[in-house]
């Protein structure tokens, strides 16, 4: 696992909050980042862990289940056990997108649902909210810089 650079993480979150709050947001950029989030979901549904990892920046960070990891290999290792279960599905729906005035950083907020069949044969459903901070890559595509999942209490 990569060690998290807390200073960089704090700067990224702070920049995202400041850059996206207020100010003019291009409708085109908001639509692009919303579509990136939806495409991320489609890729994950179609390709499992490969689709999930493919949307992260090389140095992307994921918070989930008390774990914090950075980089493709660590994110894959965190998510692979869930996706190895053939009954596991992960779906989500973004409800809000904001993009910085510079158009290179933004975030989406939404709801997610995970499903699998438990050892007893009964469905196991998890729901929650998420925030994804996106950074526009040098080729113009949006990549996940930071993904945070906040499960609902059961």
């Amino acid at each position: 696992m990569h060690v998290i650079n807390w200073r960089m993480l704090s700067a990224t979150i702070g920049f995202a909050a400041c850059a996206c709050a207020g100010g003019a947001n291009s409708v085109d950029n908001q639509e692009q980042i919303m579509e990136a989030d939806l495409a991320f979901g489609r890729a994950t549904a179609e390709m499992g862990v490969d689709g999930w990892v493919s949307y992260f920046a090389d140095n992307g960070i994921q918070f989930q289940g008390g774990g914090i990891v950075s980089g493709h290999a660590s994110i894959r290792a965190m998510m692979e056990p869930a996706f190895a279960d053939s009954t596991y599905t992960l779906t989500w729906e973004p409800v809000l997108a904001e993009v910085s005035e510079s158009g290179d950083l933004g975030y989406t907020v939404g709801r997610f649902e995970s499903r699998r069949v438990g050892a007893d044969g009964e469905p196991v459903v998890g729901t929650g909210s998420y925030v994804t901070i996106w950074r526009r890559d040098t080729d113009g595509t949006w990549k996940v810089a930071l993904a945070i999942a906040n499960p609902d209490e059961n």
Side-chain angles (χ1 to χ4, degrees):
M1 277 186 202
H2 288 100
V3 174
I4 302 300
N5 180 333
W6 291 105
R7 190 169 290 153
M8 183 179 94
L9 176 61
S10 296
T12 300
I13 292 171
F15 179 77
C18 293
C20 297
N25 250 309
S26 162
V27 172
D28 286 343
N29 281 336
Q30 286 178 317
E31 288 173 0
Q32 287 173 12
I33 202 169
M34 189 70 86
E35 179 51 39
D37 198 316
L38 293 168
F40 181 25
R42 289 190 299 269
T44 300
E46 293 169 12
M47 299 184 297
V49 73
D50 291 332
W52 178 263
V53 172
S54 73
Y55 269 78
F56 278 81
D58 290 341
N59 62 348
I61 298 169
Q62 180 176 342
F63 284 43
Q64 184 168 333
I68 303 169
V69 296
S70 176
H72 288 177
S74 295
I75 292 168
R76 177 180 297 280
M78 177 185 271
M79 296 300 289
E80 220 157 32
F83 283 104
D85 179 345
S86 63
T87 68
Y88 179 76
T89 60
L90 176 62
T91 58
W92 63 89
E93 184 73 29
V95 296
L96 171 70
E98 295 286 339
V99 179
S100 65
E101 288 185 27
S102 62
D104 60 352
L105 194 64
Y107 64 88
T108 50
V109 175
R111 297 282 301 160
F112 71 86
E113 179 180 271
S114 65
R115 291 183 168 269
R116 66 180 177 82
V117 175
D120 60 0
E122 294 296 317
V124 178
V125 179
T127 58
S129 301
Y130 73 89
V131 175
T132 303
I133 297 178
W134 297 84
R135 183 175 56 233
R136 193 182 300 267
D137 209 356
T138 55
D139 67 0
T141 60
W142 288 100
K143 292 290 186 177
V144 176
L146 175 65
I148 303 170
N150 184 28
D152 293 334
E153 292 185 30
N154 293 329

